[in-house]
Amino acid sequence: MATSAAPISLSFFTSSIFLPSSSHKPFSVLAPTNSLKTPKPLTISAELATLPVLSFTGDKVGETFLDLKSALPDTARAVVHRAIITDLQNKRRGTASTLTRAEVSGGGRKPYPQKKTGHARQGSTRTPLRPGGGVVFGPKPRDWSIKINRKEKRLAISTAVASAAENTIVVEDFSDEFEKLEKPKTTEFIAAMRRWGLDPKEKTTFLVTEVANNVRLSSRNIGTLKMLTPRTLNLFDILNADKLIMTPETVDYLNARYGVDYDGETEDEEEDEDGAEQEEEGVEAQGTAADESSDAAE
């Protein structure tokens, strides 16, 4: 009488299908190994960029250098991405709100009998399946803010500015030239941009230490232009710009604040950062107050 073959059983530790080859060493996954790679530290490098200096008439009058700390290429993308996500997410108010079927007023009475109507059974007119009903999994007020280390945020800004060095131009201080005008003129500012080799249709960001009144009024009607100061310097406008324009004073500020010789924060810098955060909160508060006043007027 033929004997029945023993049933074939597969085991994770005995079967060869889980091993790359039968000639390899025995499986030793349970043995502790030190083959785990340690995470790379956040490394920093410095890049020296030479920038041309132009006069108000557009003539080259000299050169200057931009010596900023920047993350290495293998970590720069992650550092800048984390910082830009933090900035954009912290700007969200988180006031979006919808009503569930329990919060919508009405709907307490059964709209029609359960049977003998030919319609699907309904227990309330505020069901999410009908117009005027509640919302399923809709947004509720929440806090979107996230935190980032100050050193990491500063490294992201310096990396973004250093990467934009090839599209950066340094222009001598032009505030006095516009203060001589009887009244602000956008055409004069556009003419100055053309002398500097800029296209008004391209997105341009100006980094200046202080914005004169005539300069602000002459440039505010240009939709593709952003005028930033050290207090309003942000990562989004730097990355979003096609051209970056600085003054010699701004270059000195960036080299001192984000350069290789920077040691640590000072009290003035902490006040600047706190002031910038308070300004953003004030703008949001003004927007909320305006919304409330408009609702009250209605």
Side-chain angles (χ1 to χ4, degrees), residues 33-40:
T33 59
N34 295 327
S35 60
L36 297 178
K37 295 182 179 180
T38 57
K40 290 184 178 180

Side-chain angles (χ1 to χ4, degrees), residues 51-55 61 64 168-172 244-249 251:
L51 307 177
V53 181
L54 304 181
S55 63
V61 295
T64 186
T168 303
I169 301 174
V170 180
V171 180
E172 290 183 336
L244 202 60
I245 312 301
M246 304 181 187
T247 60
E249 294 78 8
V251 174

Side-chain angles (χ1 to χ4, degrees), residues 152-211:
E152 190 173 6
K153 183 176 180 179
R154 187 181 298 112
L155 179 62
I157 293 177
S158 61
T159 301
V161 175
S163 64
E166 58 184 11
N167 296 323
T168 303
I169 301 174
V170 180
V171 180
E172 290 183 336
D173 190 12
F174 49 87
S175 300
D176 297 337
E177 300 293 338
F178 285 93
E179 290 297 331
K180 295 177 183 177
L181 300 177
E182 296 180 358
K183 59 181 181 179
K185 291 185 178 181
T186 305
T187 55
E188 293 292 338
F189 200 92
I190 292 178
M193 292 178 62
R194 295 187 186 278
R195 289 196 299 268
W196 298 330
L198 304 176
D199 186 2
K201 295 182 180 180
E202 291 183 347
K203 291 180 288 187
T204 308
T205 298
F206 281 75
L207 298 180
V208 294
T209 54
E210 186 177 357
V211 182

Side-chain angles (χ1 to χ4, degrees), residues 4 30 40 55 58 62 81 90 129 150 168 189 226 251 295:
S4 60
L30 299 179
K40 290 184 178 180
S55 63
H81 178 266
N90 289 345
L129 303 179
R150 282 188 175 181
T168 303
F189 200 92
K226 289 284 187 179
V251 174
D295 296 340

Side-chain angles (χ1 to χ4, degrees), residues 6-248:
I8 301 175
S9 62
L10 294 178
S11 172
F12 182 83
F13 298 101
T14 59
S15 178
S16 60
I17 64 174
F18 297 104
L19 299 177
S21 176
S22 58
S23 60
H24 288 181
K25 295 181 179 180
F27 194 77
S28 60
V29 69
L30 299 179
T33 59
N34 295 327
S35 60
L36 297 178
K37 295 182 179 180
T38 57
K40 290 184 178 180
L42 189 62
T43 53
I44 300 174
S45 64
E47 293 185 2
L48 181 63
T50 303
L51 307 177
V53 181
L54 304 181
S55 63
F56 183 73
T57 59
D59 300 328
K60 184 177 179 180
V61 295
E63 292 181 348
T64 186
F65 67 92
L66 194 63
D67 191 10
L68 304 179
K69 293 179 180 178
S70 60
L72 291 181
D74 56 345
T75 58
R77 187 179 183 88
V79 171
V80 174
H81 178 266
R82 192 180 300 114
I84 192 66
I85 291 299
T86 302
D87 288 347
L88 295 179
Q89 197 158 326
N90 289 345
K91 289 181 180 179
R92 300 188 64 173
R93 294 185 180 181
T95 56
S97 180
T98 55
L99 300 179
T100 64
R101 63 178 299 167
E103 297 169 340
V104 179
S105 62
R109 181 177 64 87
K110 190 175 179 66
Y112 45 79
Q114 178 85 351
K115 298 179 179 295
K116 299 181 180 181
T117 61
H119 300 297
R121 51 193 175 189
Q122 295 286 340
S124 172
T125 58
R126 297 298 180 257
T127 171
L129 303 179
R130 301 185 62 166
V135 180
V136 181
F137 303 124
K140 286 292 185 181
R142 57 170 294 185
D143 182 16
W144 288 93
S145 62
I146 55 179
K147 294 182 179 180
I148 188 174
N149 295 333
R150 282 188 175 181
K151 291 183 178 180
E152 190 173 6
K153 183 176 180 179
R154 187 181 298 112
L155 179 62
I157 293 177
S158 61
T159 301
V161 175
S163 64
E166 58 184 11
N167 296 323
T168 303
I169 301 174
V170 180
V171 180
E172 290 183 336
D173 190 12
F174 49 87
S175 300
D176 297 337
E177 300 293 338
F178 285 93
E179 290 297 331
K180 295 177 183 177
L181 300 177
E182 296 180 358
K183 59 181 181 179
K185 291 185 178 181
T186 305
T187 55
E188 293 292 338
F189 200 92
I190 292 178
M193 292 178 62
R194 295 187 186 278
R195 289 196 299 268
W196 298 330
L198 304 176
D199 186 2
K201 295 182 180 180
E202 291 183 347
K203 291 180 288 187
T204 308
T205 298
F206 281 75
L207 298 180
V208 294
T209 54
E210 186 177 357
V211 182
N213 188 44
N214 275 2
V215 174
R216 180 181 60 85
L217 296 177
S218 299
S219 62
R220 65 178 179 176
N221 285 337
I222 305 176
T224 58
L225 187 142
K226 289 284 187 179
M227 194 72 65
L228 302 181
T229 62
R231 292 179 65 89
T232 59
L233 180 64
N234 62 90
L235 190 60
F236 180 82
D237 289 332
I238 295 174
L239 297 175
N240 193 40
D242 297 325
K243 295 290 184 180
L244 202 60
I245 312 301
M246 304 181 187
T247 60

